[in-house]
């Protein structure tokens, strides 16, 4: 069963070539053998997993199995799991046992997927390198001295090293796509409102969106199908039918109109990556797509706008961590203010504190118009750029990240340079669009991701476009040496 | 925008964060750099643009005003730092006479 995709494993379970208990044991063993090197899991739920696997096998014996019944799976530790520690990568939630399941978790449980554990992440999903986790950095399986990307770095590294066939991620400014690119796997950030945010610990509520990470677009289609759909518990969930993503996956893409934004291929882009992306474009031309240059003129403004909106919303969301109702509380508080201040200061890491302070400043009296309102208007400009582009093309294609995985520690003391590594992904969140990253090649042994951006609710087309590429290439099948 | 140490102290208080002098020395230039970077926004003319709060331009959905939650107080309080007879305990807020 080594290195089979999630879809292939699902078939093996259906044809009874293997049981869920055997499959679960296989992945638990791999986690035990390899995760010391990677640190991709915060919690491994071994007993719970074996019990779920046993139930899945019983269900299958009764003929009640679905496509995910008995499939081992990992959840990013931002999703609340009832009775299981949910930390969000933070000391402030180190003792937090969630009293309820996130809707996404519930949907995977209902589908019979087996929870292997909770994956490591940047604290409160704030970061692009996974170095901001209270539980230590995650290592990139392609080079243990390099970062896996972030914030869903644990999920990306675990899938890349085949410690799980799939996992969830969340994407506020690129946190699914950038780690997928840096670890050589596939990941999709759906349209804002497509996947429920209920029980997904909030960072920036107008940008956050959960999505799946796996080896192939076919696997993503199956997982997204399970995750998507209306949820009355999420007030921004969109009540719109979910298409059958698997049904159209194999449809040809002849006549597809691809746009290459010239702003994605400027001097900031590594020349090797540029070449790899252009090779991928040629594959698409062979498949019958037409390609034209387009412009997204306000791309550069996306990062400054994001670093107002995301911190502002985070400062408001993270106000709930007060040391009173749950989570970390400081020792011997002398009064209520001391309780708040020390619990928060001792519980949050540096990047989280920086963002809370930027957000607090931007929302403080007298500054709202200059920062938050201005950023929301830039958001309007960015969306208009995309809408204009989608009048001319069906999908937008480019690199996911301007560089391959960088070295651990390289950008830790310079927040702004870390922020710039998300230049291609952030605008997508500001506009609420769906987008994905799939493997497109290697440079110096490190994987490179191709970024595909679709119009609102166009996940079906994105998955089809990605799957067509994966049928004629094999970048998505590569496994890092030593795993 | 360049922040002073006094600005950072004030922001930290508003955010209910404790800052040592060493923290303030670390954060003051970092936050100033981030704000200077953020001010690139001012290059753009947005006078003709409406601000976006929800990327789909949807407004918050309302639900019927009925009770849907069940009482799970004991379960929620089981994970609280300190509770007594169903109440969350915090240091005394009102001073003695």
């Amino acid at each position: 069963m080594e290195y089979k995709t999630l879809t292939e494993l699902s078939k093996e379970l259906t044809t009874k070539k293997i049981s869920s208990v055997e499959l679960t044991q296989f992945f638990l063993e791999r986690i035990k053998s390899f995760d010391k090197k990677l640190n991709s899991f915060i919690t491994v739920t071994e007993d719970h997993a074996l019990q779920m696997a046993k139930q899945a096998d019983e269900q299958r014996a009764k003929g009640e199995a679905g496509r995910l019944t008995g499939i081992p799976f990992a959840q990013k530790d931002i999703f609340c799991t009832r009775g299981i520690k949910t930390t969000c990568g933070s000391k402030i939630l180190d003792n937090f046992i969630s009293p309820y399941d996130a809707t996404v978790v519930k949907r995977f449980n209902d589908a019979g997927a087996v929870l292997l554990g909770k994956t490591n992440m940047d604290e409160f999903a704030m970061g692009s390198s996974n170095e901001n986790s209270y539980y230590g950095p995650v290592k990139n399986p392609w080079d243990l001295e390099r970062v896996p990307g972030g914030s869903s770095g644990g999920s990306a590294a675990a899938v890349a090293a085949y410690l799980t066939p799939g996992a969830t991620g969340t994407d506020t400014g690129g946190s699914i796509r950038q780690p997928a690119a840096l670890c050589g796997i596939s990941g999709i950030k759906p349209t804002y409102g497509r996947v429920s945010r209920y029980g997904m610990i909030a960072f920036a509520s107008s940008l956050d969106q959960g999505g799946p990470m796996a080896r192939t677009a076919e696997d993503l289609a199956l997982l997204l199908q399970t995750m998507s759909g209306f949820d009355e518990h999420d007030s921004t969930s969109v009540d719109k039918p979910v298409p059958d993503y698997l049904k159209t996956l194999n449809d040809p893409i002849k006549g597809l109109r691809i746009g290459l934004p010239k702003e994605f291929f400027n001097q900031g882009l590594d020349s090797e990556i540029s070449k790899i992306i252009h090779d991928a474009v040629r594959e698409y031309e062979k498949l019958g797509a037409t390609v034209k240059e387009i412009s997204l003129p306000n791309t550069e403004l996306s990062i400054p706008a994001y670093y107002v909106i995301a911190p502002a919303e985070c400062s408001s969301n993270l106000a709930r961590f007060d040391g009173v109702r749950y989570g970390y509380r400081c020792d011997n508080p002398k009064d209520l203010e001391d309780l708040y201040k020390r619990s928060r200061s001792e519980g949050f890491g540096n990047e989280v504190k920086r963002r809370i302070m930027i957000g607090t400043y931007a929302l403080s009296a007298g500054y709202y118009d200059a920062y938050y309102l201005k950023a929301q208007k830039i958001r309007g400009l960015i969306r208009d750029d995309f809408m204009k582009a989608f009048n001319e093309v069906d999908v937008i294609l480019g690199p996911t990240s301007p560089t391959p995985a960088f070295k651990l520690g390289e950008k830790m003391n310079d927040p702004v340079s870390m922020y710039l590594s998300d230049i291609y992904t952030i605008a997508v969140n500001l506009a609420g669009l769906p987008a994905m990253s799939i493997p497109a090649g290697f440079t110096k042994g490190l994987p490179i991701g191709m970024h595909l951006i679709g119009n609102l609710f166009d996940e079906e087309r994105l998955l089809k476009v990605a799957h067509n590429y994966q049928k004629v290439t094999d970048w998505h099948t590569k496994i890092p040496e030593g795993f | 925008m360049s922040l002073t140490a006094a600005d950072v102290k004030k922001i930290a208080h508003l955010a209910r964060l404790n800052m040592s002098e060493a923290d303030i020395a670390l954060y003051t230039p970092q936050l100033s750099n981030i704000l200077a970077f953020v001010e690139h926004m001012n290059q753009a003319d947005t006078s003709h643009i409406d601000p976006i709060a929800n990327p789909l331009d949807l407004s918050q959905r309302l639900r019927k005003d009925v009770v849907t939650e069940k009482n799970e107080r004991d379960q929620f309080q089981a994970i609280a730092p300190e509770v007594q007879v169903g109440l969350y305990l915090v240091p005394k807020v009102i001073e003695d006479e």
Side-chain angles (χ1 to χ4, degrees):
Chain A
M1 76 191 108
E2 200 105 326
Y3 311 139
K4 289 205 158 58
T5 67
L6 193 144
T7 308
E8 287 163 350
L9 294 174
S10 169
K11 281 178 194 140
E12 305 248 304
L13 285 169
T14 308
T15 55
K16 301 207 166 60
K17 270 197 178 152
I18 190 162
S19 72
S20 173
V21 169
E22 289 168 315
L23 199 54
T24 301
Q25 274 164 342
F26 169 81
F27 283 106
L28 287 170
E29 278 307 315
R30 285 189 62 86
I31 292 170
K32 263 183 217 161
S33 314
F34 297 114
D35 205 38
K36 287 191 279 293
K37 284 200 266 186
L38 298 176
N39 196 28
S40 67
F41 280 84
I42 291 173
T43 304
V44 179
T45 50
E46 181 169 357
D47 296 342
H48 179 76
L50 289 168
Q51 199 190 332
M52 282 177 97
K54 201 165 153 263
Q55 278 171 16
D57 284 335
E58 285 163 12
Q59 242 182 306
R60 197 169 285 282
K62 280 189 268 176
E64 291 166 1
R67 300 197 55 172
L68 287 183
T69 306
I71 290 283
F73 194 68
Q75 292 284 356
K76 182 177 181 180
D77 209 17
I78 197 170
F79 288 99
C80 285
T81 41
R82 189 185 172 103
I84 295 166
K85 188 161 100 159
T86 300
T87 71
C88 220
S90 182
K91 179 182 175 185
I92 213 160
L93 287 176
D94 183 50
N95 61 2
F96 180 66
I97 310 284
S98 173
Y100 70 107
D101 277 327
T103 297
V104 162
V105 170
K106 185 176 182 302
R107 288 193 176 168
F108 278 108
N109 286 344
D110 291 349
V114 170
L115 180 70
L116 292 170
K118 309 287 297 285
T119 56
N120 203 346
M121 56 183 284
D122 280 303
E123 184 178 8
F124 287 100
M126 298 176 200
S128 311
S129 70
N130 224 297
E131 291 166 292
N132 296 330
S133 169
Y134 174 62
Y135 302 91
V138 177
K139 313 289 171 55
N140 190 315
W142 293 94
D143 178 347
L144 299 175
E145 286 176 12
R146 290 177 189 269
V147 303
S151 66
S152 312
S155 291
V159 171
Y162 205 59
L163 308 188
T164 176
T168 49
T170 58
D171 192 315
T172 304
S175 281
I176 288 176
R177 292 161 286 155
Q178 185 254 17
L182 269 43
C183 288
I185 64 160
S186 305
I188 183 166
K189 171 221 157 324
T191 307
Y192 182 78
R194 178 83 291 184
V195 169
S196 169
R197 293 186 296 111
Y198 179 72
M200 186 178 110
I201 296 171
F203 158 20
S205 301
S206 77
L207 303 165
D208 296 343
Q209 185 62 200
M213 304 171 81
R215 308 200 69 78
T216 67
E218 190 180 25
D219 291 351
L220 295 180
L222 178 57
L223 296 169
L224 186 60
Q225 195 82 50
T226 306
M227 288 175 85
S228 298
F230 178 66
D231 178 16
E232 61 174 9
H233 291 115
D234 171 0
S235 66
T236 58
S237 174
V238 175
D239 195 357
K240 196 177 162 73
V242 180
D244 184 347
Y245 296 126
L246 289 163
K247 209 169 127 191
T248 47
L249 210 52
N250 282 296
D251 291 356
I253 55 163
K254 196 170 167 3
L256 179 82
R257 298 171 303 165
I258 295 176
L260 304 181
K262 62 172 189 243
E263 293 79 6
F264 284 22
F265 295 89
N266 57 18
Q267 68 279 11
L269 178 65
D270 179 292
S271 59
E272 276 290 305
I273 298 183
S274 177
K275 189 185 159 295
I276 286 168
I277 300 302
H278 281 105
D279 288 346
V281 169
R282 267 189 294 282
E283 288 294 340
Y284 276 118
E285 284 173 327
K286 282 193 235 161
L287 292 167
T290 60
V291 178
K292 70 182 284 189
E293 188 183 86
I294 57 164
S295 177
L296 299 170
N298 293 296
T299 299
E300 278 201 2
L301 291 171
S302 65
I303 304 187
Y306 177 88
Y307 279 98
V308 171
I309 291 172
E313 295 182 8
C314 116
S315 73
S316 163
N317 273 322
L318 272 59
R320 74 191 57 169
F321 300 99
D322 57 4
V324 174
R325 290 155 304 154
Y326 49 82
Y328 176 80
R329 172 183 282 201
C330 66
D331 289 333
N332 307 314
K334 67 177 194 309
D335 55 32
L336 191 59
E337 187 171 305
D338 186 45
L339 167 72
Y340 292 150
K341 284 189 173 176
R342 277 203 293 127
S343 298
R344 289 164 63 76
S345 302
E346 293 168 17
F348 291 137
N350 276 334
E351 180 62 18
V352 171
K353 286 188 228 179
R354 271 196 292 270
R355 295 204 195 183
I356 288 176
M357 286 198 284
I358 291 289
T360 302
Y361 178 74
L363 294 177
S364 62
Y367 294 103
Y368 181 84
D369 285 4
Y371 290 105
Y372 197 66
L373 193 68
K374 179 75 182 180
Q376 286 185 314
K377 289 183 174 180
I378 302 268
R379 211 171 164 172
L381 282 178
I382 285 165
R383 185 178 60 181
D384 291 351
D385 283 356
F386 277 116
M387 291 307 132
K388 222 175 111 202
F390 284 123
N391 285 330
E392 300 174 35
V393 299
D394 302 312
V395 296
I396 294 170
L397 188 155
T400 307
S401 169
T403 63
F406 44 92
K407 287 249 168 86
L408 286 151
E410 192 179 313
K411 297 179 196 271
M412 268 310 262
N413 296 317
D414 184 358
V416 170
S417 105
M418 184 78 89
Y419 298 171
L420 290 170
S421 66
D422 293 328
I423 176 75
Y424 305 131
T425 50
I426 276 179
V428 165
N429 299 74
L430 293 171
L433 300 168
M436 59 195 298
S437 181
I438 58 171
F442 287 83
T443 171
K444 300 179 191 80
L446 298 169
I448 299 304
M450 164 166 54
H451 197 194
L452 296 164
I453 305 168
N455 207 339
L456 294 169
F457 296 101
D458 217 3
E459 287 84 358
E460 196 177 10
R461 190 198 314 256
L462 282 182
L463 290 164
K464 178 177 80 177
V465 169
H467 182 62
N468 270 269
Y469 177 78
Q470 292 185 333
K471 285 204 290 191
V472 296
T473 57
D474 65 357
W475 305 114
H476 58 287
T477 65
K478 308 287 187 209
I479 297 282
E481 214 173 295
F483 295 93
Chain B
M1 178 78 199
S2 197
L3 296 174
T4 63
D7 294 331
V8 173
K9 251 182 213 168
K10 185 177 165 225
I11 298 166
H13 171 69
L14 289 173
R16 295 298 182 270
L17 292 168
N18 255 357
M19 288 279 139
S20 65
E21 291 305 316
D23 289 337
I24 288 177
L26 172 73
Y27 285 117
T28 304
Q30 286 181 340
L31 298 182
S32 294
N33 282 346
I34 295 170
L35 289 175
F37 173 69
V38 153
E39 273 154 25
H40 288 139
M41 291 196 304
N42 296 331
Q43 295 162 4
D45 174 14
T46 51
S47 51
H48 57 294
I49 296 281
D50 289 329
I52 289 185
N54 175 308
L56 308 176
D57 287 330
L58 298 174
S59 52
Q60 209 83 336
R61 194 180 62 250
L62 298 178
R63 64 167 175 82
K64 289 226 165 57
D65 186 15
V66 291
V67 177
T68 55
E69 298 295 317
K70 48 187 190 295
N71 183 357
E72 294 175 286
R73 188 182 70 181
D74 292 349
Q75 198 195 340
F76 293 159
Q77 291 196 334
I79 52 171
E82 220 182 335
V83 289
Q84 202 175 68
V85 291
L87 303 171
Y88 293 97
L89 294 192
V90 295
K92 189 153 44 171
V93 178
I94 300 163
E95 297 297 326
D96 292 328
E97 289 286 311

